[in-house]
Amino acid sequence: MEHVIQALGSVFAIQTLLFIFIGVAVGILFGAVPGLTAVMAVALFLPVTYGMSPGVGISILIALYIGATSGGLISAILLKIPGTPSSVATCFDGHPMMEKGEGPKALGVGIVFSFVGTILSILALMLVAPNLAKVAIKFGPHEYFAIAIFSLTLIAALSGKSMIKGIFAGVLGIAFGTVGIAPVDAAVRFTFGTNELKGGFNTLTVLVGLFAISEVIKTAEKIKSASKDEVAQVSMKSIKGFGFSWKEFREQLPNCGLSSLLGVCIGILPGIGAATSNIVAYTVSKKRSKRGHLYGTGVIDGIVASESANNAGIGGALIPLMTLGIPGDAVTAILLGGFMLHGIQPGPLLFTNNATLVYTIFIAMIVSSVAMLILEFYGLRIFSQLLNVPKHLLLPIILVLCVVGAFGINSRVFDVWTILVFGLVGYLFVKFKAPHAPFIMGFILGPMAETNLRRGLMFSEGKFSGFLTNPISGTFLVLALASIVWSAASHYRNSRRDQEMLVVEDEE
């Protein structure tokens, strides 16, 4: 209790609370602006914390992390542009709800379940961190390969009505993911003599191009005059609270619980992160839901799954960092630097040697989550008014922000050209009605699968049997096979049902 009381005194000091609210606000801004990320926010503020006490400094960095992760939902819903990679799946149902005039409700759902997902991940961090981390640390190349393959089989559920187009998009994503220096043997692939391509394509530039630039092109194509877009007109007078009922909240709790669990578990695994967890959670939610056929048309279920999972990944990523000293993603890698900057070494001894700091982090996370909920609730009215800005004014601003964000990643003009190229790819996807999600999954998980396949074969002396005899990887490969069979059967049933409906319509 002595450590808890000291931690409470540290976090609830006026100065610390002010810093936490500022950190959350800045994080939301970084998350909402396409091209800016939680990684940038935490990295930029790392030197600012140098002269502060460890508890206050790390609390600010945690606040930035939480705010930026949640902030991505704002542009994902309003503009169909994921502010961060962790908000990709939020676009799938968030923007269709906005187009139906339910933008404020979509924002309210996203905000509330971002908060719930974060709180659940904090509980996981506090209660089961050591045990979960012990399991995660046992994962090697065999396990990571099997998880990647299992996740790739979920492409079928994100393919929409055309399985062929979904598989094509996924394979194309894997192909783009192979550009650059190959893992393990460092062979140069598909660079065509261009030095910039040796490093491959940055995930953020691909996402900004695929969603943001393509959306700008598509919207600009539809604009016939400089008047306000009629679809975007939203009145806040009829919105009460967060825009959805208590009944809808209760109905979504199982969906939120499962998605948060997935977010925590995937967050624990180093190198995967929220960019994958939100899509995986969305896919799993779609498969198990009775309303799965409505996903992508504008239902709150999809937003709940995505936002619960990506925010739950925060606590998940902190579990291996605090218990083992191993960062779970890029943000926690910077947080590791923050710990070391203040002379603290994360690991098993952190909980005994710096117990007060541990409780300070737990309490700071809870306070940051509440600050996020408050700031986004009162900002809900402001965010919604963005919908009423004439598109001929909004689109150029978005384009400039995307270009600045892309250039700011590595200070390379090449990244600006990258977002334009992938913007064209995304626009072609729209024209040919090909889904974006399988491309993103292929691009992110393809290199992961390849790298761990090659490493696993090296461990097994070139024998693939090592992937099957390993209990964890073998289980995931069996699940992958079951997922393929289930998806194929579901697709066949849906095709038969559609054909029967057409026959009935023709007879009538």
Side-chain angles (χ1 to χ4, degrees), residues 95-328:
H95 193 69
M97 285 185 68
M98 191 280 293
E99 291 178 329
K100 293 191 295 186
E102 297 181 334
K105 179 178 180 179
L107 285 170
V109 170
I111 291 167
V112 169
F113 285 96
S114 290
F115 170 77
V116 175
T118 307
I119 292 297
L120 291 177
S121 76
I122 296 170
L123 292 176
L125 176 62
M126 294 170 63
L127 300 175
V128 295
N131 293 327
L132 284 174
K134 287 176 183 177
V135 175
I137 198 63
K138 295 179 181 179
F139 275 47
H142 294 94
E143 290 82 2
Y144 279 114
F145 169 76
I147 290 173
I149 293 299
F150 171 68
S151 300
L152 284 171
T153 62
L154 300 178
I155 284 176
L158 298 173
S159 298
K161 294 182 179 179
S162 176
M163 181 81 73
I164 295 175
K165 289 180 180 178
I167 294 174
F168 169 77
V171 171
L172 189 64
I174 294 173
F176 274 106
T178 61
V179 174
I181 298 176
V184 183
D185 61 2
V188 178
R189 305 181 298 191
F190 311 117
T191 60
F192 305 102
T194 306
N195 289 329
E196 287 86 351
L197 284 173
K198 289 182 179 179
F201 296 108
N202 185 282
T203 302
L204 188 61
T205 59
V206 172
L207 290 176
V208 169
L210 201 66
F211 286 93
I213 304 300
S214 65
E215 187 67 19
V216 168
I217 297 172
K218 185 184 77 172
T219 308
E221 185 182 30
K222 294 178 180 178
I223 293 178
K224 302 298 182 182
S225 65
S227 61
K228 290 184 179 181
D229 189 351
E230 294 181 2
V231 178
Q233 300 304 304
V234 174
S235 173
M236 293 300 300
K237 294 180 181 178
S238 60
I239 301 298
K240 296 181 180 179
F242 286 97
F244 63 100
S245 67
W246 179 246
K247 178 183 177 183
E248 288 176 310
F249 176 79
R250 291 198 308 270
E251 289 174 348
Q252 292 299 324
L253 286 178
N255 183 14
C256 173
L258 176 61
S259 300
S260 298
L261 179 62
L262 287 170
V264 170
C265 293
I266 293 176
I268 293 172
L269 303 175
I272 301 182
T276 302
S277 67
N278 75 109
I279 299 179
V280 171
Y282 180 90
T283 309
V284 171
S285 176
K286 180 179 179 180
K287 279 192 169 187
R288 64 178 291 276
S289 174
K290 295 179 181 178
R291 304 201 302 168
H293 61 286
L294 296 176
Y295 277 53
T297 63
V299 290
I300 65 173
D301 309 54
I303 301 175
V304 171
S306 173
E307 288 303 316
S308 300
N310 63 27
N311 281 269
I314 296 172
L318 286 172
I319 288 173
L321 173 68
M322 294 181 65
T323 58
L324 301 168
I326 299 172

Side-chain angles (χ1 to χ4, degrees), residues 26 99 172 175 182 283 340 361 377 390 437 455 487:
V26 173
E99 291 178 329
L172 189 64
T283 309
M340 293 182 172
I361 292 172
F377 172 71
R455 288 175 178 170
S487 298

